[in-house]
Amino acid sequence: MPAIEVQRQMLPMFGSPNQGARFYNPELPQTEPFVPGHRTCAGCGPSIQYRMTSKAAGDNTILVGPTGCMYVANSSYLCTPYNVPWAHTQIGSAGSFTAGVAAAYEAMIRKGKWKGPFPNIICEAGDGSASDIGLASISGALYRNHDCLIICYDNEQYANTGIQASSRTPYGGMTTFSPPGKMVPEAKTLFPKDLARMMAAGHPHCYVATASVGYPIDLMNKVRKGLNHKGAAYMMIYTPCQKGFVYETPRSIDLGRLVVECGLYPMWEWDPAKREFDYSFRPGSMRPVSEYLKLQGRFGHLHAEHIATLQKFANAQWKMMGVELPDALLWAADAKNLSDMAAADEAVAVALTV
Amino acid sequence: MATETVKKKKVRINGCVASAQAAKYADVDVITAYPIRPYTATMIALAQMVANGELDADYIVADSEHSQLSIAHGASSSGARVFTGSSGVGVQFAYELYSPISGTRMPVQMMIADRTLDPPGDFGSEHTDALSTRDMGWLMGWSCDAQEAFDNHLLGFRIGEDPRVLLPQMVCQDGFFVSHITTDVELPDTGQVKEFLPPYKHPYPLDPRRPVSHGPQIMPEQGPPLQLERARAMEGAVPVIEQAHEEFAKIFGRKYDPWIEEYMTSDAEVVFFLQGAHGVTARYAIQHMRQRGAKVGLVRLKTIRPYPTDRVNEVLSKFAVVGVVETNLALGSVSSGGVLYAEVCGALYESAKRPLVLSFMAGMGGEAIVLKEFYWMTQKMLDAKKRGKIEKRTHWVGFEE
Ligand SMILES: Cc1ncc(C[n+]2csc(CCOP(=O)(O)OP(=O)(O)O)c2C)c(N)n1
Ligand code: SF4
Ligand SMILES: [Mg+2]
């Protein structure tokens, strides 16, 4: 294959990256490739992420949308929220369809059939698509190193089908396929697939990062890094879903910060040139997981022992990031020091009636 | 790097290589491959052409047939000319994509070299793989030899990419009987191909300069007009198919009827009705049976989608008995045999002079249908003619006296 000589746009980074960025940032582009007027729920984390991502990418962009909420609730025939080209693809085709778009542009530019800078090609796959049914297709696209950015917008469940457990649903998370009951008081018994790390480990030539809607500038900078990287890039972004997590609508961004502050969503980047993880991201404070859990109905059934299990899980993640654990978090990993969630007894009572 | 310019020449190649050659002549931009016998040989040939610099294309080794077809879909949606293919269970692994590709009107071309589905593990050619996708909105037809396969690929691109059509094409050939049998094939001059096949230009590709949305969600009440439009696209392909075959004959000198090939039918009383490579054996069997006085002929269906209902009606109504040779399996179907029986009877229902119709389950598992079996089937048709009615609807050839 001859070397591809294509024009590429390099996107600059935004200043004042993460911590206190809850103010207007004058550097943000005016462009809105993803406009309001779609049918997602109020406070929908995935669509907040969609807006940030597409704003960071700008207008020379092509979006790919595998089936999921960001397809079903966004695109309505004869009325579309996408101001840039967008195509639906099948839920299992996230990586493959996107690879096709990238391959087409490579070939067409090389053969002189299309003139202009190489477009930003972004796939917005849900966690069900990215961690389960479309996993192989995404791995294929990363492995073959097509010039594209594949995003897993992670709402930790199959939301669009009415909240079912995916490989990203956390331990203890209640979904309609993982309800709590007498035999399984904690609801989901399995721990989530370590998806982003799996992608970094298996495709070390790719830029890989995790992000959260709680840190918009950090998120947008990572999107730009992913797009500037020549070859494939992958991001897994925490995007809360009020319908499935059951929380007060205005708290989406709060959850996006809390999940990081509680150690349940480690933020990192994989540097493909150095072949190493960058764990330098530090949230403003560290908190026990209960502060995150208690805001969400999906964890309302948890008993002290389950909360302790989740704290142990979070503590292990902090350690992996090289963070010294404060005594308070070690203390919170012992069930004796914790109390059940307010609705835990009710959950048991309900389970007994079924 | 430009694709090599070549002069017209005769070569000896098999069906798989003929398909690869056609993709090369069509100067495809993106090729997606995944190995499964027997069609693999096409992708092996293309890989070498790309490696040698004879063809400038992105050659993508996909992680499955599902991905193969999805990559093809994405590439075609972006404005590239795309070639892919498969066999047997591979055709079915990609099943989900057939409707989205035709529904978004992307003229992807897929080469099929038939292979029996599992179980059991079997390399033989049975048409069930491709036929199981026949109602997904793809143009579809079978070639009976390598030359016809080569020609049908060029015709496929020309028809499918026509802005009046914009439909994907399944260009099918029997595994082994066509795919792996070497015959003389005339490869054209690149100039002839340029004249016949204009560059692919989709009216609404994914292009940042002209944003469009492909495949958004609809409300149920928006469904009927969209489905009607898909049906109309198939019907609208009919005149384009005919026009393309006429121009093909003018430019390349090979004249084909796009729908039906008739062999020794002018005075025939009983005829075989089939698709693909077994037509070649049938022609010999017919010559032999004619020496023994049997007025037998052959009607070979060349395009099954869109189905030439009126032509089938008009042609088959001339005969007393039609013997459908299935080479496919439709379990529990109308004839409890294959799918072609229902297609034939459906076309004949409105005929004033309906022939008797028999379904022959032959060539199952990809077994060769030998001359002796064609003689036997001819006899069954002659018996039915004499009796004025059929003994039974479906005969499993080789299992009866
Ligand atoms: C092949 C296939 N299987 C199942 C479905 C049903 N389905 C539609 S949306 C959806 C949920 C997708 O979940 P995810 O990828 O996490 O996206 P989210 O809905 O959470 O945004 C599923 C399973 C489908 N569309 N296609
Ligand atoms: S169900 Fe969740 S992901 Fe879907 S639109 Fe609502 S908030 Fe967004
Ligand atoms: Mg999800």
Side-chain angles (χ1 to χ4, degrees), chain B residues 175-362:
Chain B
F176 301 99
F177 303 130
V178 176
S179 74
H180 282 66
I181 289 184
T182 300
T183 52
D184 282 338
V185 174
E186 186 181 288
L187 297 178
D189 197 292
T190 34
Q192 289 174 290
V193 178
K194 269 217 176 77
E195 193 187 342
F196 179 67
L197 184 61
Y200 169 47
K201 206 167 170 358
H202 199 278
Y204 308 108
L206 297 170
D207 178 346
R209 294 168 304 196
R210 289 187 308 151
V212 285
S213 287
H214 286 185
Q217 275 272 314
I218 61 158
M219 301 305 280
E221 60 271 25
Q222 293 171 317
L226 293 176
Q227 303 297 50
L228 176 65
E229 202 176 276
R230 292 179 72 178
R232 289 274 187 269
M234 264 286 165
E235 293 164 20
V238 170
V240 179
I241 292 172
E242 289 172 351
Q243 189 194 336
H245 279 77
E246 275 165 33
E247 270 181 50
F248 187 91
K250 266 190 226 134
I251 295 170
F252 298 97
R254 284 185 294 280
K255 189 159 175 52
Y256 296 107
D257 184 312
W259 311 109
I260 271 172
E261 176 206 274
E262 291 187 59
Y263 180 76
M264 294 205 170
T265 53
S266 55
D267 63 341
E269 293 168 343
V270 302
V271 290
F272 288 109
F273 182 90
L274 52 70
Q275 305 193 97
H278 296 294
V280 177
T281 326
R283 288 185 205 137
Y284 287 104
I286 287 164
Q287 288 171 19
H288 302 163
M289 292 302 286
R290 285 209 164 239
Q291 281 159 12
R292 292 188 235 159
K295 288 189 171 170
V296 56
L298 166 69
V299 173
R300 181 165 67 92
L301 183 65
K302 294 197 54 217
T303 303
I304 187 165
R305 289 293 179 271
Y307 189 67
T309 312
D310 294 333
R311 259 309 279 290
V312 172
N313 177 322
E314 177 201 313
V315 169
L316 295 186
S317 292
K318 297 186 295 201
F319 311 110
V321 183
V322 176
V324 179
V325 185
E326 297 281 3
T327 52
N328 73 82
L329 192 58
L331 296 166
S333 64
V334 179
S335 61
S336 195
V339 302
L340 289 181
Y341 174 84
E343 300 267 328
V344 165
C345 291
L348 285 171
Y349 184 75
E350 284 158 20
S351 169
K353 205 180 136 290
R354 254 180 267 162
L356 300 173
V357 183
L358 297 171
S359 173
F360 292 117
M361 295 303 286

Side-chain angles (χ1 to χ4, degrees), chain A residues 126-128 153 155-159:
Chain A
D127 53 294
Y153 69 84
N155 57 10
E156 303 187 332
Q157 13 117 347
Y158 290 89

Side-chain angles (χ1 to χ4, degrees), chain A residues 44 46 66-72 88-92 124-133 152-164 166 239 241, chain B residues 66 96:
Chain A
C44 168
T67 314
C69 268
M70 291 302 97
Y71 159 55
V72 179
H88 167 239
T89 189
Q90 304 312 110
I91 185 169
E124 286 272 6
D127 53 294
S129 169
S131 71
D132 292 330
I133 192 168
C152 165
Y153 69 84
D154 185 12
N155 57 10
E156 303 187 332
Q157 13 117 347
Y158 290 89
N160 190 62
T161 32
I163 318 301
Q164 286 82 30
S166 80
T239 55
C241 159
Chain B
H66 188 282
E96 186 190 15

